[in-house]
Every structure is written in structure tokens, then in C-alpha cells.
Amino acid sequence: MKITVIGTGYVGLVSGTCLADVGNDVLCLDLDAAKIRTLNEGGIPIYEPGLEAMVRRNEAAGRLRFTTDIEAAVAHGVLQFIAVGTPPDEDGSADLQYVVAAAGNVGRYMDGYKVVVDKSTVPVGTADKVRAAIAEELAARGAKIDFSVVSNPEFLKEGAAVDDFMKPDRIVVGADDERAIALMRELYAPFQRNHERLILMDVKSAELTKYAANAMLATRISFMNELANLAEKLGADIELVRKGIGADPRIGFHFLYPGVGYGGSCFPKDVQALIRTAQDAGQELQVLQAVEAANQMQKGVLGHKITARLGKDLDGKTFALWGLAFKPNTDDMREAPSLVLIEELLARGAAVCAYDPVAVHEARRILGDNPRIRYAASPMEALDGADALAIVTEWKEFRSPDFAAIKAKLKTPVIFDGRNLYDPATPRKAGLEYFAIGRL
């Protein structure tokens, strides 16, 4: 099938590449000329395990191309995937200007039947706006051309997005006409050969499903973080509590790990957007408002632990920071807890030496040049001259460090672990003080 993907960000590039990998002819459109140039010159604008090799393989096979030519992109595919950004507006709602603009461009240049697929995470009712934008452009041209609008939300985890797309646990399709449904079934047939994964529903239910999924996962995280904070006050161990409740099959173990709060491009934005959507409909989502408030507070927990142990005046102290990305296997630092901690440490007069295996370039872009922020080439190098160590991202390479070497390097032998990576007895046996989230 010929497919156009509008937007070469995280969702668009992964989706387009994976669709090409099963034999489709995919043309990816982006108005960012620098991004398209990077892709055409052999680079990719994001870090995602396995993606770069897949892009190169499909490009070499002629199944995947990149362009800034809107007219050519609209002409290419019967299926037009909209995968542009929907950043949060000032009131927390999703900013749909790029989605509507993309839909308008399809209406402006289409010369035959198109299925316009909303792949971006969008509020309920966005398909109606997309439909109206296309219809308006067609009316301005005096053209009568059939088209369909479908909701097909993505469920990709950063760091595992390629596997998630190629081996989906579900494929949600919101559509209301048989012609579009048939094309979507044909498109996704290669991804569900052993059993049916496609869940067909109306468009608005599909739009809500994406927000509901992310909101539920965010709720589990905030719930466990609040329990972890309570466990500390009560003298309980949250790790034992986690095992006890996770063994209940009605609950399970997924997303029950306490830490320093969720971040990234999805959970914060989608929780806020769903709260705003409900308010616009005359309803207050009290649980989600609490989830959002709890998460904002949790991002400050590691900073509170540091000041409780070392004092509020950190002038002249240097902190080694392990991890910058909001989670492992990505370079995404949007809403990352590391940014909150760095801001507090700098405000209290401290310096930071940070290590992250892939996110340093993104940190430099966000944090700029600051003489009190340095970047190390390895976890142990980050400890050089440091007073204490703070762990913010649970990269695998942090799981089994040499605690004796850590103790030897730190001026104050203390670890502040925001991801509960270690059995507390292990670093303490090596002579380190160890502060985690909800651990004894």
C-alpha cells in the first residue's frame, strides 16, 4: 500500500518506518527542512533502540522516503497518517493547530479518495475538526471528493517503540464507514497473523481510549509514589508492599515501581489534556487532578532528601547525577525529573556533573551553557570531585556498580536513589549511606 505519514517526530518516524518494513511504500512529510535533511543524509532526529538500522534498511530498499513537498505527499498515499505534535496549551489542553493544518493541506491538494488517520494523541472530537478542515478546503476549491477520517491512536513506549509497533498488544481503530475499515484491516493484517488484535470502535471512543490508557498508567505511578512516601513515615518497606499487592492478579506488577515521578512527552501532557477535556464537558476529574498534583510534588522528593541530609545551603558542593532522560532507552528529557532536581541544586548553590548514555546532547540543548553543569563520559567519571551521588534514571548500566569505588570517590559517602535500584543493605555494607524512595 502507498502510505503518507505527516510528521517525522517520535510517532511519525517509528510508524512510517515500521509500516515500510512490512512492504508498504511510505513517504514521510515534514515541514522542518533540517529534520528531513538529517534523515536523507543518514541520521535520525531521535534515539530509539533499533530504529536507525530499520530506517536505513527500508530507505535502501526504496520503501521509505522523506520530503518537505506537501503536494507530493498528499498525492502519494490513499492513507494519510497525521502524526504531528500536539503540545500542551497554556490551559493544559492539547494544541491542535498542527493537526488541523495538516488536515487542511490534505483537503487543499487531494485529487481522489483519501483516508485521513489521526495517529497523534488528540482530544475527543478532534476527528470532527479534521473532517471540517478538509471539507472547508474542498469547498473552497469547489471540489466534491470523498474522504474518511479514522482515529488510530498509538500505544508506543519510548525505548521499546519498534517492538510495540511490530508486535502490538492491540490495534485500536475508530471508524464509521466500511471502506475505511477495510483499508485499515488490510494495512494491519501483517501485524496480527497469529490472532486478531484489531479492536474496532467508533471514532470518539478510540480518541478517549488513548487518553484513558495513559491516565490509568499515570495513576498507578502516582499511587505507588504516595504509598512509598507514607511507607517511609510508617517504617514500612514499599518494595515488600509492592510484591504483596502485585501478586494479586487483579492488580499485577506493571507500573508499581515508586520513584521520582513520571515525565516524558505523553503522561504529563495527556493527563493535563484529559482533565481539561473533562472540564470543557462540565466535569471535574478529581482522581486525575490528584494524580497530576502528586506527580509534581514527587519530582521534588529527591531534592528534599538531599537537603534533609546535607542542609539547605549547598554552596560549593558538587553532585554526581546518574541519568538525565525521563526513562531509560530514550534521549527524551521532556518533563524529566532530572530537570527539577538540577534546578533545585543550582538554586541552592551546588554544581552538577551528570552522566547519561544518550541524553547529554539533549541536556546541553535544554540547559545551555552553565559553568556549574558538567557532563561525564562514564558513571564513575561523574563521581570525580563529587560530594554525593543522585540517581534519577534507571539505566541498566547503573544496576551493579562497584560500591567500594563509589565510596572511595565521594567526599560524603552517600547515595540518593530516586529509582530504588539497590537492596539497601548492599551499599550500606560497603559503607555508604543510602536514601531511596520508601525503603527501610
Side-chain angles (χ1 to χ4, degrees):
M1 299 177 72
K2 288 190 173 183
I3 300 165
T4 295
V5 177
I6 304 168
T8 59
Y10 187 83
V11 174
L13 186 57
V14 172
S15 299
T17 304
C18 290
L19 289 170
D21 204 54
V22 295
N24 293 296
D25 180 0
V26 179
L27 180 61
C28 293
L29 167 71
D30 203 296
L31 301 187
D32 186 337
K35 188 181 289 186
I36 294 299
R37 185 166 55 252
T38 296
L39 287 162
N40 283 330
E41 290 176 352
I44 62 172
I46 59 173
Y47 175 81
E48 179 63 35
L51 181 60
E52 185 169 6
M54 185 180 278
V55 170
R56 297 284 79 82
R57 181 171 68 248
N58 284 283
E59 229 183 347
R63 294 188 298 265
L64 181 63
R65 292 174 292 126
F66 304 98
T67 186
T68 58
D69 188 331
I70 298 173
E71 189 170 359
V74 174
H76 177 75
V78 172
L79 292 172
Q80 300 272 319
F81 279 81
I82 297 179
V84 297
T86 54
D89 221 331
E90 291 182 1
D91 61 0
S93 62
D95 185 348
L96 297 177
Q97 63 172 312
Y98 303 113
V99 172
V100 173
N105 285 333
V106 174
R108 187 172 301 120
Y109 293 110
M110 62 187 284
D111 59 3
Y113 177 73
K114 302 289 182 184
V115 178
V116 180
V117 183
D118 286 334
K119 198 68 175 170
S120 302
T121 300
V122 293
V124 176
T126 299
D128 294 336
K129 292 182 172 65
V130 167
R131 191 175 289 107
I134 297 170
E136 182 179 347
E137 290 294 337
L138 289 175
R141 293 166 48 194
K144 293 184 178 180
I145 304 172
D146 289 338
F147 68 93
S148 303
V149 177
V150 169
S151 175
N152 176 217
E154 53 84 16
F155 298 97
L156 307 177
K157 298 186 296 293
E158 291 192 46
V162 172
D163 280 346
D164 284 348
F165 198 103
M166 299 302 289
K167 303 172 185 177
D169 47 24
R170 81 280 208 199
I171 301 164
V172 172
V173 172
D176 55 13
D177 72 85
E178 291 302 321
R179 188 175 180 184
I181 292 169
L183 284 168
M184 295 300 288
R185 288 192 183 280
E186 180 183 348
L187 175 70
Y188 282 114
F191 301 95
Q192 47 180 344
R193 290 176 61 85
N194 61 348
H195 70 272
E196 179 76 15
R197 292 183 172 90
L198 194 146
I199 304 172
L200 182 64
M201 58 184 72
D202 63 274
V203 172
K204 289 186 177 180
S205 294
E207 291 172 332
L208 182 56
T209 296
K210 169 61 177 179
Y211 275 127
N214 279 354
M216 174 61 78
L217 297 175
T219 298
R220 287 172 69 99
I221 293 171
S222 282
F223 176 75
M224 284 303 292
N225 284 337
E226 293 224 291
L227 274 189
N229 298 338
L230 177 62
E232 286 187 13
K233 295 181 183 297
L234 299 178
D237 189 331
I238 195 62
E239 175 62 11
L240 300 178
V241 175
R242 182 189 70 82
K243 292 177 180 177
I245 65 175
D248 186 331
R250 297 170 300 173
I251 298 172
F253 290 100
H254 293 298
F255 285 82
L256 288 188
Y257 292 91
V260 285
Y262 58 77
S265 63
C266 295
F267 287 5
K269 173 176 69 71
D270 294 353
V271 168
Q272 292 168 14
L274 187 52
I275 290 170
R276 181 65 188 186
T277 295
Q279 289 172 340
D280 290 344
Q283 181 178 345
E284 295 292 331
L285 295 182
Q286 297 180 25
V287 171
L288 279 191
Q289 289 173 4
V291 166
E292 169 68 9
N295 190 61
Q296 292 305 317
M297 290 183 61
Q298 196 69 17
K299 289 183 179 181
V301 163
L302 213 56
H304 296 332
K305 289 181 180 293
I306 290 171
T307 56
R309 170 60 182 83
L310 299 175
K312 294 184 178 180
D313 182 3
L314 301 175
D315 188 45
K317 294 188 182 298
T318 297
F319 288 84
L321 200 69
W322 284 4
L324 291 163
F326 86 95
K327 63 180 286 189
N329 296 320
T330 181
D331 60 354
D332 194 344
M333 287 186 62
R334 286 173 286 186
E335 302 282 345
S338 63
L339 296 174
V340 175
L341 180 59
I342 290 170
E343 182 181 9
E344 179 166 3
L345 293 175
L346 294 179
R348 295 188 181 280
V352 171
C353 185
Y355 168 76
D356 189 287
V358 300
V360 167
H361 70 97
E362 186 68 4
R364 292 185 190 277
R365 184 187 69 81
I366 294 171
L367 297 169
D369 293 327
N370 188 316
R372 286 195 284 141
I373 302 176
R374 294 182 294 112
Y375 301 97
S378 71
M380 297 308 289
E381 182 184 308
L383 301 175
D384 291 342
D387 290 89
L389 167 62
I391 302 172
V392 191
T393 312
E394 62 274 34
W395 286 96
K396 286 183 179 180
E397 63 185 281
F398 303 156
R399 291 182 181 178
S400 298
D402 183 338
F403 289 110
I406 292 174
K407 182 178 184 295
K409 278 180 171 284
L410 293 176
K411 296 177 182 177
T412 306
V414 57
I415 297 175
F416 300 95
D417 182 359
R419 296 299 179 184
N420 290 1
L421 289 184
Y422 315 120
D423 179 339
T426 305
R428 288 170 184 163
K429 186 177 180 180
L432 288 152
E433 290 183 72
Y434 181 69
F435 298 91
I437 309 296
R439 302 299 309 271
L440 292 176

